Amino acid sequence: MGEYTHWIVFNIFVSTLLLFDLYISKGRIYKFKSSLIWSLAWVSISMVVALWFFIEDGSLLTNNERGVSFLAGYIAEKALCFDNLFVFLIIFQFFQIPEKLQSLALTYGIMGALITRAIFIALGSIILTNFSWVMLIMGIFLLYTGIKIALVNEEDSNPENNFFFKLSNKFMNISKDFDGSKFRTTVDGVKVFTPMFLVVIVLASTDIVFAVDSIPTIFGITQDVFIVWTSNMMAVIGMRPLYFLLQEIKNMFRFLKYGLSLILVFIGLKMSLTYVAHWVGDRIQNDDLAHFHLNTFVSLAIIIGVVFGSIIMSTIIPDKEEAKEAK
């Protein structure tokens, strides 16, 4: 199958999935059982895409760089989606979005995530192709981001601290109440913006922040643009039922941010060391250094181990606040 055919087939496939997701989820509030089933269904579909890469490369295990790269990228990006959804939870709670409007707000958030990631993937690919030294900058940035995620408190994600939220409140008239899904409404004969408009503004800026973290992460795993694109799209699809599932079982992911922090630090180190090794190898004419590459199987094993390890720790270590309430 030709390179362009891959892109056409996958994009038709993912567009169909998005339309299906929008159709079945329109205004829907997922309960625990249905959110779990649908979340597992979306993960299963992603595994079908992974299988496609394994089969395309002609081997299910041996030397299957693209299939393993997709899995490593997908798991890393899915972990970032979890972090993204935790922030969505905070935003929705802050604005006290009516339950019936949460699905629509999620649509805006998910579409924003898809658009921003598509833009950053295109920019990242062009930049890395022409300026290889940017890999070192990305690596250092991921190291900084990983450390920052481990140290940041949940309250720091308060929408009141969002620059665009402050700007909108300063220069626009915002009503106190929602008017369905409308962005504008009339209050006492005056046209004003609704809180729904602010929600979309905050979600969009949040999507940009997560895209800035996400794209260097996946480029740190692979620079195959098709793998970068597919792993990102499959990670983002299915965020809607996952959001409702997280509302029910968020304590199971209390330590995921620390796991994500470790993953970003690991990938940041990998990118930085790879670039430095190539740079030194080219100058001293050492082929081993010039072609240094950390085995993708090792990356996949580390990412899986960290993600599942953080989930297991969240499950077995009691929550301090719950323990206090129990007393």
Side-chain angles (χ1 to χ4, degrees):
M1 193 181 286
E3 183 182 350
Y4 292 110
T5 308
H6 277 140
W7 282 91
I8 293 168
V9 170
F10 178 77
N11 286 326
I12 290 173
F13 174 69
V14 82
S15 298
T16 304
L17 289 178
L18 281 169
L19 290 172
F20 176 73
D21 181 36
L22 287 171
Y23 176 76
I24 65 165
S25 301
K26 189 176 181 180
R28 180 175 181 178
I29 299 167
Y30 289 86
K31 300 303 179 185
F32 175 75
K33 185 178 178 180
S34 59
S35 63
L36 177 60
I37 291 170
W38 276 107
S39 295
L40 291 174
W42 288 118
V43 171
S44 299
I45 292 171
S46 299
M47 292 306 100
V48 171
V49 176
L51 182 62
W52 175 37
F53 281 112
F54 280 105
I55 293 172
E56 276 287 308
D57 273 10
S59 168
L60 290 179
L61 288 175
T62 308
N63 298 322
N64 199 305
E65 188 77 16
R66 298 189 85 210
V68 176
S69 295
F70 173 84
L71 281 177
Y74 171 76
I75 295 168
E77 292 300 325
K78 202 68 176 176
L80 279 164
C81 284
F82 272 90
D83 209 35
N84 210 153
L85 288 172
F86 276 120
V87 175
F88 282 7
L89 276 169
I90 294 168
I91 292 170
F92 291 179
Q93 289 168 2
F94 174 82
F95 284 102
Q96 296 181 332
I97 299 179
E99 200 172 39
K100 62 182 180 180
L101 291 178
Q102 288 187 13
S103 185
L104 177 62
L106 278 169
T107 298
Y108 292 128
I110 293 167
M111 295 308 294
L114 289 168
I115 292 168
T116 52
R117 290 182 186 215
I119 293 170
F120 278 87
I121 287 170
L123 289 174
S125 174
I126 294 168
I127 291 170
L128 285 173
T129 300
N130 294 282
F131 309 100
S132 61
W133 53 266
V134 173
M135 180 180 285
L136 179 61
I137 305 299
M138 285 185 173
I140 294 170
F141 173 75
L142 286 180
L143 284 169
Y144 164 76
T145 304
I147 294 168
K148 184 181 176 183
I149 285 175
L151 299 177
V152 74
N153 294 317
E154 194 173 79
E155 53 266 24
D156 293 332
S157 298
N158 192 321
E160 281 187 329
N161 300 324
N162 183 283
F163 171 77
F164 294 102
F165 174 84
K166 293 177 180 178
L167 197 67
S168 300
N169 264 314
K170 187 174 182 179
F171 294 103
M172 298 177 181
N173 292 323
I174 311 291
S175 66
K176 292 182 179 179
D177 302 313
F178 286 85
D179 185 6
S181 60
K182 293 180 181 178
F183 290 167
R184 296 266 284 174
T185 189
T186 304
V187 177
D188 298 327
V190 179
K191 281 282 186 181
V192 295
F193 288 95
T194 68
M196 193 65 174
F197 174 78
L198 272 184
V199 169
V200 173
I201 293 295
V202 174
L203 286 175
S205 59
T206 300
D207 284 329
I208 292 171
V209 171
F210 276 98
V212 170
D213 292 340
S214 168
I215 302 313
T217 302
I218 185 63
F219 273 113
I221 295 170
T222 177
Q223 290 185 42
D224 185 325
V225 182
F226 189 59
I227 301 292
V228 171
W229 173 253
T230 53
S231 58
N232 260 272
M233 294 303 103
M234 296 314 298
V236 172
I237 290 176
M239 282 176 70
R240 194 192 315 273
L242 193 58
Y243 165 81
F244 290 100
L245 182 63
L246 275 180
Q247 284 184 313
E248 302 289 336
I249 59 171
K250 57 185 176 183
N251 276 347
M252 282 184 63
F253 300 94
R254 283 181 296 118
F255 294 121
L256 186 61
K257 78 167 187 173
Y258 299 109
L260 181 58
S261 171
L262 284 173
I263 289 171
L264 294 182
V265 168
F266 161 68
I267 295 173
L269 284 171
K270 178 187 171 205
M271 291 182 80
S272 303
L273 292 174
T274 299
Y275 175 78
V276 171
H278 290 178
W279 186 84
V280 172
D282 286 338
R283 275 147 187 79
I284 66 173
Q285 296 183 339
N286 183 309
D287 284 344
D288 288 337
L289 281 175
H291 299 94
F292 171 78
H293 174 67
L294 183 65
N295 192 294
T296 312
F297 281 92
V298 175
S299 297
L300 176 61
I302 290 172
I303 291 169
I304 290 175
V306 170
V307 169
F308 283 96
S310 64
I311 294 172
I312 291 169
M313 285 180 64
S314 301
T315 305
I316 63 177
I317 297 175
D319 183 38
K320 291 181 180 179
E321 289 185 8
E322 285 187 354
K324 285 179 182 179
E325 289 176 5
K327 290 179 180 180

